[in-house]
Amino acid sequence: MDWLATNPTMVWLVAGVLLCLVELVLPTAFIAFVMGLSAIAVSAVAGFLPLGLQVFLWIVLSVGLVFWSRRFVNRKAALKLDATEAETLTEILPGKTGRVLYEGNSWAARCEATSGIIPAHQRVYVVGRKGTTLLVLPHEF
């Protein structure tokens, strides 16, 4: 492994491949993959540049590619909900938050109805999501 420490091209290449493989194991919305591609690109010129300039180039390429690739990611698909129903775990007041059981997990939920209390252990419709909070309506709607 001494050859790896003395050869910056191989270091950048190995780092790039590892970052690309990380994307397969831990989905990071293509950030690790883009950083890996940037490292592979830097490996092509690593023999001609000092280390400080290599790191600077990698950072610039990574940030640039992350922002450039954002327009190809379908943000609406990330917000798509698989199920439309959940069950309340706690009472939810109109406009307030409580807890619901959704797809086997406990989620924060906010009632989108303007009137009426949703009691615990009732079915609700999931109509959207805002961050990690589900937006729900009573089953009667």
Side-chain angles (χ1 to χ4, degrees):
M1 288 301 254
D2 288 335
W3 59 271
L4 187 61
T6 59
N7 190 345
T9 300
M10 287 305 295
V11 171
W12 284 109
L13 191 60
V14 169
V17 169
L18 288 175
L19 282 167
C20 289
L21 291 175
V22 162
E23 186 66 43
L24 294 173
V25 179
L26 302 169
T28 62
F30 297 108
I31 293 173
F33 183 74
V34 167
M35 290 172 65
L37 290 179
S38 298
I40 292 169
V42 170
S43 75
V45 296
F48 309 110
L49 300 174
L51 180 61
L53 200 51
Q54 292 173 30
V55 172
F56 178 75
L57 179 61
W58 175 70
I59 291 170
V60 169
L61 282 174
S62 294
V63 170
L65 285 174
V66 164
F67 284 115
W68 179 75
S69 68
R70 288 291 118 210
R71 58 177 136 157
F72 300 112
V73 175
N74 186 356
R75 291 189 179 117
K76 296 255 186 217
L79 297 176
K80 187 176 181 182
L81 301 169
D82 292 334
T84 58
E85 289 189 353
E87 181 182 338
T88 58
L89 296 173
T90 63
E91 180 179 80
I92 305 176
L93 301 172
K96 302 293 183 184
T97 59
R99 303 295 295 178
V100 296
L101 184 63
Y102 176 74
E103 294 185 339
N105 294 310
S106 175
W107 285 70
R110 187 175 74 227
C111 179
E112 290 296 293
T114 56
S115 63
I117 297 172
I118 305 173
H121 308 292
Q122 296 294 310
R123 290 243 174 252
V124 290
Y125 288 113
V126 178
V127 295
R129 187 177 88 188
K130 187 172 186 177
T132 59
T133 302
L134 296 177
L135 308 175
V136 298
L137 287 172
H139 199 285
E140 296 81 41
F141 273 63

